[in-house]
Every structure is written in structure tokens, then in C-alpha cells.
Amino acid sequence: MRTLSYALFAALAVSALAVPVTAAALPADVTAGQCIAGGGGIVVSAVGDGSQGYTKRCVGGVHDGRTAL
């Protein structure tokens, strides 16, 4: 039983440490400079017919698919 306790503790410690690293590695939004510095480009798309605004996405590089501010 003692080996099981150590294995369970080790698994919990690894999973607890992995969650913050993953969250920090994937920002929700990036600046245009961060997108370009990460090797990506910014694609601007019209929402609907263009009267509703535009979206900006980072395409390629480290921040692929993230919203560019």
C-alpha cells in the first residue's frame, strides 16, 4: 500500500504543476506585436457585411488562432 500512496501523490503533484503551465502557454488574446514576434501574421476579417465590425486573428507562429488586439 505504501507504494500506491507515493505513486498517487506523484501523479497529483505532476497534474497540479502541469495545469498552470498550460494555461500560461496559451494566452487568450495577444497583441499584434506578440503575434508577429511569434512568427505569425494578422488576418482581418469582416463580421457579416462589414457593418458589424471586424475580427483580427493571429495566423501561424506561436499564437496561431488567437485574437489579436
Side-chain angles (χ1 to χ4, degrees), residues 46-54:
V47 176
D49 62 358
S51 64
Q52 298 170 349
Y54 297 90

Side-chain angles (χ1 to χ4, degrees), residues 8-53:
L8 181 60
F9 178 71
L12 289 174
V14 167
S15 65
L17 292 174
V19 171
V21 171
T22 304
L26 298 173
D29 299 318
V30 295
T31 64
Q34 289 171 329
C35 177
I36 293 169
I42 300 170
V43 174
V44 179
S45 302
V47 176
D49 62 358
S51 64
Q52 298 170 349

Side-chain angles (χ1 to χ4, degrees), residues 25 27 30-31 34-38 40 57-67:
V30 295
T31 64
Q34 289 171 329
C35 177
I36 293 169
R57 291 267 179 208
C58 183
V59 179
V62 177
H63 305 291
D64 189 33
R66 304 290 176 212
T67 301

Side-chain angles (χ1 to χ4, degrees), residues 1-13:
M1 288 300 272
R2 193 166 189 84
T3 304
L4 180 61
S5 300
Y6 289 129
L8 181 60
F9 178 71
L12 289 174

